[in-house]
């Protein structure tokens, strides 16, 4: 899941939240495509800053997505997590290659962490919702000719999608 969370004048702009799903196994290509798509759709509505949740490779993917916009006037930075501690930030990397160590006492750094945390939480929530609903979509693909209530009853009776797939015509 690639997600966009917008903050303006210190407030979250929920109506501007967007996300896209991808079937790719890498995070980088969906990130590149999402950024490219976002700016192709909203070419006149540029932000002051894009904050990417990830390291150097994530920053590079975002910058590749912006290659069609060489005259952009905004900065792109990434929030790099320390190994094994996904809720923290070790440093920021700028699109110019600058490394900035995270300082928890710095008000600007704490604001950036809040922005990163919010976007990360929104993306994770969408990912969880899709994962929890995926069996309904899978059932729809296996049994397209029956209604949802019948599918649910069949799933409850059979116990799993795998068991449904193994049912014979007689069953």
């Amino acid at each position: 899941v690639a997600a966009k969370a917008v903050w303006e004048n210190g407030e979250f702009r929920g109506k501007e939240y967007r996300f896209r799903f991808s079937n790719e196994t890498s995070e980088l290509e969906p990130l590149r495509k999402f950024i490219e798509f976002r700016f192709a759709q909203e070419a006149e509505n540029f932000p002051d800053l894009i904050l990417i949740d990830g390291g150097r490779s994530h920053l590079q993917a975002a910058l590749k997505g912006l290659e069609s916009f060489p005259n952009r006037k905004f900065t792109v930075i990434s929030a790099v997590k320390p190994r094994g501690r996904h809720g923290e930030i070790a440093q920021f990397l700028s699109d110019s290659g600058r490394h900035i160590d995270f300082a928890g006492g710095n008000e600007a750094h704490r604001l950036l962490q809040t922005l990163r945390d919010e976007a990360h939480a929104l993306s994770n929530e969408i990912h969880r919702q899709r994962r929890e609903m995926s069996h309904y979509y899978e059932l729809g693909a296996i049994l397209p000719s029956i209604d949802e209530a019948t599918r649910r009853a069949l799933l409850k009776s059979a116990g799993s999608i795998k068991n449904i797939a193994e049912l014979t015509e007689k069953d």
Side-chain angles (χ1 to χ4, degrees):
V1 176
K4 169 184 118 173
V6 176
W7 283 71
E8 186 174 39
N9 297 324
E11 294 183 5
F12 174 62
R13 310 274 301 187
K15 290 181 180 180
E16 295 184 45
Y17 174 60
R18 302 285 183 270
F19 63 89
R20 290 185 75 181
F21 293 115
S22 173
N23 291 326
E24 301 198 32
T25 56
S26 166
E27 296 177 339
L28 303 178
E29 188 60 13
L31 173 61
R32 182 198 63 76
K33 287 179 181 177
F34 184 73
I35 296 239
E36 185 175 71
F37 175 80
R38 182 266 192 241
F39 286 99
Q41 297 298 308
E42 304 173 43
E44 301 299 319
N45 188 17
F46 289 137
D48 296 319
L49 172 74
I50 293 180
L51 175 63
I52 303 296
D53 180 24
R56 182 182 316 280
S57 57
H58 291 81
L59 177 62
Q60 292 304 315
L63 293 173
K64 280 184 184 176
L66 291 167
E67 285 177 349
S68 299
F69 305 94
N71 297 326
R72 66 180 168 84
K73 304 273 192 254
F74 56 87
T75 300
V76 181
I77 63 172
S78 66
V80 182
K81 298 172 269 239
R83 285 200 192 281
R85 298 194 322 250
H86 295 286
E88 299 176 29
I89 297 175
Q91 64 180 325
F92 298 104
L93 297 177
S94 74
D95 50 5
S96 66
R98 187 170 168 216
H99 293 249
I100 305 162
D101 289 335
F102 179 75
N106 182 310
E107 190 173 325
H109 287 198
R110 285 195 319 271
L111 174 62
L112 290 172
Q113 183 173 20
T114 299
L115 298 176
R116 193 285 316 236
D117 291 350
E118 186 68 29
H120 188 80
L122 290 167
S123 184
N124 282 339
E125 179 61 26
I126 294 299
H127 180 75
R128 268 192 296 282
Q129 288 175 9
R130 183 177 192 209
R131 187 181 60 227
E132 290 168 2
M133 293 300 293
S134 66
H135 66 280
Y136 290 112
Y137 299 117
E138 191 174 343
L139 268 178
I142 294 171
L143 304 167
S145 62
I146 62 175
D147 63 73
E148 189 60 33
T150 306
R151 284 188 202 125
R152 288 182 196 173
L154 184 58
L155 180 59
K156 185 175 181 180
S157 172
S160 72
I161 292 174
K162 180 181 181 222
N163 291 346
I164 291 173
E166 293 173 353
L167 290 174
T168 65
E169 194 171 314
K170 181 182 175 189
D171 294 331

